[in-house]
Amino acid sequence: MTSNLELAAWVNEAASLMQPNAVHWCDGSDTENAQLIETMLADGSLLALNPKTHPDCYLHRSNPSDVARVEHLTFVCTSDKDDAGPNNNWMSPADGHQLVNSLYAGCMRGRTMYVIPYLMGPYGSPYSRAGVEITDSPYVVANMRIMARIGTRALAHIEAGNSFVRGLHSIGELDPERRYIMHFPEELLIKSFGSGYGGNALLGKKCHALRIASWQARTEGWLAEHMLILGIEDPKGNVSYVAAAFPSACGKTNLAMLVPPLALKGWKVWTVGDDIAWLHPGPDGRLWAINPEAGFFGVAPGTSTKTNPNCMATLGRHTIYTNVALTPDNQPWWEGIDAPAPEGLIDWQGRPYDPANGPAAHPNSRFTVSATQCPSYSPQANAPEGVPLSAIIFGGRRSTVAPLVYEALDWDHGVFSAAAVASETTAAAVGQVGQVRRDPMAMKPFCGYNFADYWAHWSSFGTKASKLPKIFHVNWFRKDAQGSFMWPGYGDNMRVLKWILERCNGAAGAVRTPIGNVPHPDDIDTTGLVIERAVLEALVAFDPEVWTRELVDIAAYFATFGSRVPTVLNQQVTRIERELADKRAAA
Ligand code: GTP
Ligand code: SPV
Ligand code: MN
């Protein structure tokens, strides 16, 4: 219960609409968690993993129709349709309420309604924001407990008079035909129905910390972004901080936990966050970043002691696994993990593994684990003021076109490069995988308002902060004619981070091209790396023909946002067109 009358009234209203058998206010305690786990073990929604190898670890199998975000069922309900923009599905607030409320009527009969007060961001940070999620899913409660700071302290923050975002969630019948993820930014309200999965159901994450927060950030002068945050310690012990935005399943968790190759002695990466960053201009003119989350909801497939040793060391205790495969001795398994598929493997749907049925672990299978278990977790991760950014990196998954790395020429060109990000779609959302689409700032599924206004907001920081981070673009996913990745990726991405930091300090060389500064092959530290010179040259090559076509596509994309597109972006198009024409004329 609560002394906050507004909260009490809203919970009562939700209870009379949804008709639960009981209402449980979550305090976030260990005892409460243990009871929830017991409940889920009893009803089969969790399976206990091998207590010897995986203490306090559980497997949850989703309904097979409910394994990823559903962008086509995600709506932003604003009074004015243009405020949501062409980048969002829109419904009027009245229609949105009516539609979901009709689904909510009586939906919790026979169930317990959990009320989860939560805080996004470190305790005591002026940048942290509260929310309350109402849900009928104990799995959601257990995951929210890892991903956010839930319970008594969060409730106290709200009762002290701070505003909070309201989130209603019911799994309903998990019917894909009756599934909606609705946002009402003008009311700081989320209504989610019909899914129990990740970003559809853990409302503090994408719904609050990105869609609603991006809306708030625009009116209040900050940024809510789909970014990891990491600290890079150099051999002298200086730590610089970097944030990086890549689309879903494009390498944020991996970069955030990177272990540099042995040949780069003395370098170390510290993890501040792996998915979301809130950025504020600080009194010193720099941009400061906090991670609003407390845990990782990370992609399992591809994670191994070779690709991400820090992540493997984080997992294996107090971890919830969702939709991974199960070995005969009750250990989690997925494609790309260290051990080969054992005899008697059970797939993510609980069937004996048969390659004819597809992969053993769902491609979007995930782990939920507390960030505090990560060996590289930054000592600054809970700093109330956040960490100051030296660079912001954008990237996508592109088998062609985008070079390994390039540096934007200035802030507005950086905003252009970020707005022009394109990436191949992944299993993180329902739909076709591998389709190239524009994913500005890696926020296509997450920006809670019109992208054109968002780009203008980004551009406005050019005058809001005097010591802005430099902006870069990376692509770890270039492929050769045989379809193999050209760049080793993972830990070797440290070589690119090193060039980026050296560019920030004015130490490294680069070649000026119309799209920005690319490294000369000799500017990338390849100590200890076996890579053919021709491959490295191809990775950093700039191709005017390819980019002429790309720019046409970028300009056409901007044009779909009409006259709201900020002039600075169109000016960048014009400049790059002119420089490309000069290049072609010179060739
Ligand atoms: P979300 O949690 O969906 O936002 O994803 P993310 O951006 O955190 O992606 P993550 O780090 O989990 O990586 C997704 C997939 O890409 C995994 O299968 C990784 O193994 C793979 N991956 C990550 N980094 C690299 C890289 O540098 N090179 C290659 N080839 N693959 C990578
Ligand atoms: C993403 O899809 O970008 C994720 C996973 O981080 S989810 O929480 O499902 O959004
Ligand atoms: Mn994400």
Side-chain angles (χ1 to χ4, degrees):
M1 300 303 272
T2 176
S3 62
N4 182 310
L5 299 179
E6 185 198 345
L7 174 56
W10 175 62
V11 171
N12 281 337
E13 192 192 314
S16 54
L17 176 62
M18 299 178 173
Q19 310 257 308
N21 273 16
V23 178
H24 175 96
W25 286 72
C26 297
D27 62 14
S29 66
D30 291 346
T31 321
E32 177 183 84
N33 186 56
Q35 278 163 3
L36 283 170
I37 300 283
E38 277 312 311
T39 309
M40 288 187 278
L41 289 172
D43 70 16
S45 54
L46 280 191
L47 298 175
L49 295 178
N50 188 323
K52 289 211 182 74
T53 56
H54 290 76
D56 193 31
C57 289
Y58 306 94
L59 168 62
H60 173 76
R61 293 192 184 119
S62 302
N63 183 304
S65 75
D66 185 32
V67 292
R69 284 182 294 98
V70 281
E71 294 177 6
H72 58 297
L73 303 173
T74 300
F75 288 79
V76 170
C77 306
T78 46
S79 323
D80 182 346
K81 184 176 184 190
D82 285 340
D83 287 340
N87 46 305
N88 282 301
N89 299 312
W90 178 84
M91 220 181 268
S92 75
D95 289 350
H97 283 303
Q98 197 189 23
L99 177 64
V100 203
N101 286 357
S102 70
L103 300 170
Y104 278 152
C107 70
M108 291 191 189
R109 277 194 199 110
R111 300 179 187 169
T112 296
M113 182 171 113
Y114 299 95
V115 181
I116 319 170
Y118 64 86
L119 191 69
M120 301 307 290
Y123 291 120
S125 169
Y127 305 138
S128 294
R129 296 295 171 102
V132 177
E133 174 165 359
I134 289 176
T135 180
D136 53 8
S137 163
Y139 168 81
V140 164
V141 181
N143 278 271
M144 280 291 286
R145 183 171 179 270
I146 298 171
M147 296 306 298
R149 293 151 177 95
I150 75 161
T152 313
R153 263 182 100 171
L155 183 60
H157 181 90
I158 292 168
E159 290 178 339
N162 292 295
S163 75
F164 61 96
V165 168
R166 293 172 297 159
L168 282 175
H169 171 251
S170 169
I171 55 171
E173 303 82 46
L174 299 175
D175 177 355
E177 301 299 319
R178 289 156 50 88
R179 181 174 293 163
Y180 292 97
I181 322 298
M182 299 278 197
H183 303 75
F184 305 86
E186 290 149 346
E187 302 169 64
L188 304 186
L189 176 65
I190 303 152
K191 292 186 171 181
S192 165
F193 186 86
S195 167
Y197 190 85
N200 301 331
L202 311 177
L203 301 187
K205 198 172 174 55
K206 300 298 163 74
C207 301
H208 176 166
L210 288 178
R211 295 193 193 95
I212 300 288
S214 62
W215 175 283
Q216 289 182 291
R218 181 181 174 228
T219 54
E220 297 169 8
W222 51 286
L223 293 161
E225 299 299 325
H226 192 204
M227 289 177 178
L228 68 94
I229 309 164
L230 58 77
I232 308 171
E233 186 174 324
D234 70 16
K236 291 189 188 129
N238 305 313
V239 183
S240 310
Y241 293 92
V242 165
F246 311 147
S248 302
C250 291
K252 289 182 301 301
T253 303
N254 279 270
L255 192 70
M257 297 180 188
L258 180 152
V259 176
L262 284 176
L264 298 190
K265 278 195 200 67
W267 291 86
K268 178 167 169 53
V269 163
W270 296 100
T271 310
V272 178
D274 83 324
D275 198 50
I276 300 178
W278 287 352
L279 315 183
H280 290 79
D284 60 353
R286 291 191 288 180
L287 268 190
W288 291 71
I290 64 161
N291 171 16
E293 300 192 281
F296 308 126
F297 182 63
V299 176
T303 310
S304 71
T305 48
K306 225 173 121 217
T307 57
N308 193 348
N310 274 327
C311 190
M312 291 306 283
T314 307
L315 303 177
R317 56 201 192 284
H318 318 300
T319 307
I320 300 172
Y321 297 87
T322 300
N323 300 334
V324 301
L326 187 65
T327 69
D329 61 346
N330 287 324
Q331 298 192 47
W333 191 91
W334 50 80
E335 278 71 15
I337 200 175
D338 300 280
E343 214 41 62
L345 188 66
I346 304 294
D347 79 3
W348 66 276
Q349 297 190 62
R351 307 170 297 194
Y353 172 52
D354 177 352
N357 290 330
H362 188 276
N364 192 35
S365 56
R366 298 210 172 224
F367 49 78
T368 319
V369 69
S370 168
T372 57
Q373 289 186 194
C374 181
S376 56
Y377 194 45
S378 167
Q380 288 302 103
N382 284 295
E385 70 282 11
V387 294
L389 297 181
S390 299
I392 296 181
I393 305 172
F394 294 93
R397 182 184 281 269
R398 290 212 70 181
S399 38
T400 59
V401 181
L404 179 63
V405 57
Y406 56 94
E407 177 197 358
L409 303 173
D410 55 31
W411 184 258
D412 276 336
H413 177 231
V415 175
F416 163 86
S417 309
V421 165
S423 194
E424 290 149 22
T425 50
T426 66
V430 167
Q432 225 189 328
V433 168
Q435 299 288 105
V436 177
R437 70 164 180 185
R438 295 284 149 201
D439 194 342
M441 284 80 168
M443 284 285 277
K444 167 70 187 75
F446 308 121
C447 183
Y449 62 101
N450 191 317
F451 256 154
D453 300 343
Y454 171 76
W455 299 327
H457 183 50
W458 260 93
S459 174
S460 77
F461 283 79
T463 53
K464 272 198 192 101
S466 57
K467 294 187 196 117
L468 286 166
K470 274 179 173 276
I471 296 180
F472 295 83
H473 186 287
V474 301
N475 177 22
W476 314 140
F477 300 95
R478 276 294 278 270
K479 287 185 177 166
D480 60 20
Q482 284 70 48
S484 304
F485 289 118
M486 292 163 70
W487 177 247
Y490 300 105
D492 285 305
N493 293 334
M494 182 65 221
R495 302 173 189 280
V496 174
L497 291 180
K498 187 166 175 254
W499 180 78
I500 286 174
L501 279 194
E502 285 165 357
R503 287 300 296 171
C504 293
N505 303 330
V511 182
R512 168 73 162 80
T513 79
I515 61 161
N517 299 316
V518 295
H520 184 272
D522 294 335
D523 296 324
I524 301 282
D525 186 342
T526 52
T527 318
L529 178 68
V530 183
I531 187 166
E532 277 174 45
R533 179 77 182 185
V535 173
L536 191 58
E537 277 169 6
L539 280 165
V540 295
F542 166 75
D543 185 335
E545 294 300 328
V546 167
W547 275 92
T548 299
R549 288 195 293 276
E550 181 73 2
L551 195 67
V552 170
D553 198 65
I554 293 168
Y557 175 68
F558 288 169
T560 62
F561 291 83
S563 59
R564 265 167 115 124
V565 175
T567 323
V568 285
L569 289 193
N570 292 324
Q571 284 167 346
Q572 290 296 328
V573 173
T574 311
R575 177 193 58 79
I576 298 170
E577 260 168 9
R578 193 181 57 237
E579 290 190 25
L580 283 167
D582 291 348
K583 285 257 175 214
R584 287 194 308 270

